[in-house]
Amino acid sequence: LGYDGEKLDSFIWWMLAAGFIGGHVLGDLIYFPKDVKREPWTLLYLWRGQSSFPGFLGALIGVLLWKWLRGKNQPIMAFADVILSVFPISWVFGRMGCTLVHDHPGIAATGPFRFLAVDYPRGNIQGIPAGPHWNLGLLEMLYTMVIAAILMVMWRRKWPIGTYAGITLVLYAPIRFLLDFLRTGDVVYFGLTPGQYFAIGLFGIGVWLLVRSRARAFERTTEHAKKEAA
């Protein structure tokens, strides 16, 4: 694509480091404020759990810091698009880990898809009642596989910058919003979980990116046509 490979590597490391820190620090502040107030030093225990949306927010902060400190005159949106064109593939494996350790239990499972649920025993470490409960890690992993497949099909042609980022956000946010209604034990602000507020925001950003990318592509096409006519 003609981008600077070394700059892209630098972009990725800043994004990953800040995402890892944000996934824990911001996650604890948002989801477990009472625990942080009681034991604030646990914010330093980065190995004790990660949260996805706070991780995304941390990654965004890292990208902005990179742009300010290291990436002047570099195409930040183009780099983000390159990464998001393949990120859902690794995302599947991340959610596979959530699936296997059952660390995202949901409400009691009912209906025809109950076979996807996990039958939790009495005295389980999650502290939920015994019986079949939704494994939200599994449900999200299955849907992330769909997102990854759609993006892989998109590799066959060139798209305006911002398309991959926009598509990823628009596809993921609504399903995550709905899945959060199946969660148990999450802190709730004005009737919605933090994840649902994040989902609303990300959906709006995704729509904006798609509209902006199409508008820019249309402008370039129009300018090219004018030059051809001249």
Side-chain angles (χ1 to χ4, degrees), residues 15 20 51 67 127 134 137 203 205 225:
M15 178 193 67
F20 185 72
S51 299
K67 179 68 174 179
W134 296 115
F203 183 80
I205 293 173

Side-chain angles (χ1 to χ4, degrees), residues 72-225:
K72 294 179 180 179
N73 301 320
Q74 293 301 310
I76 185 172
M77 192 64 245
F79 282 177
D81 226 31
V82 169
I83 292 170
L84 283 170
S85 70
V86 294
F87 171 69
I89 297 174
S90 60
W91 198 354
V92 169
F93 291 93
R95 284 305 181 190
M96 189 180 296
C98 299
T99 300
L100 295 176
V101 300
H102 305 157
D103 64 349
H104 294 304
I107 62 176
T110 58
F113 295 101
R114 184 179 174 182
F115 67 92
L116 293 173
V118 173
D119 193 6
Y120 285 84
R122 294 182 182 276
N124 57 77
I125 61 174
Q126 282 81 11
I128 61 176
H133 290 257
W134 296 115
N135 182 348
L136 299 181
L138 172 63
L139 298 180
E140 190 163 326
M141 183 194 75
L142 294 175
Y143 184 64
T144 305
M145 292 172 69
V146 173
I147 297 177
I150 291 173
L151 296 187
M152 291 170 69
V153 171
M154 290 175 60
W155 293 348
R156 298 178 180 178
R157 56 171 289 189
K158 188 175 181 179
W159 299 90
I161 293 173
T163 300
Y164 283 106
I167 286 290
T168 301
L169 297 181
V170 166
L171 288 176
Y172 175 67
I175 296 300
R176 175 55 191 270
F177 182 88
L178 294 175
L179 285 178
D180 263 36
F181 285 116
L182 303 179
R183 294 174 74 93
T184 60
D186 265 17
V187 62
V188 174
Y189 301 98
F190 303 105
L192 297 176
T193 67
Q196 289 174 317
Y197 286 112
F198 275 116
I200 292 171
L202 289 182
F203 183 80
I205 293 173
V207 171
W208 176 75
L209 286 173
L210 290 177
V211 172
R212 181 171 174 262
S213 65
R214 298 308 300 174
R216 285 189 170 184
F218 179 76
E219 289 175 3
R220 286 195 296 269
T221 302
T222 302
E223 290 176 2
H224 181 73

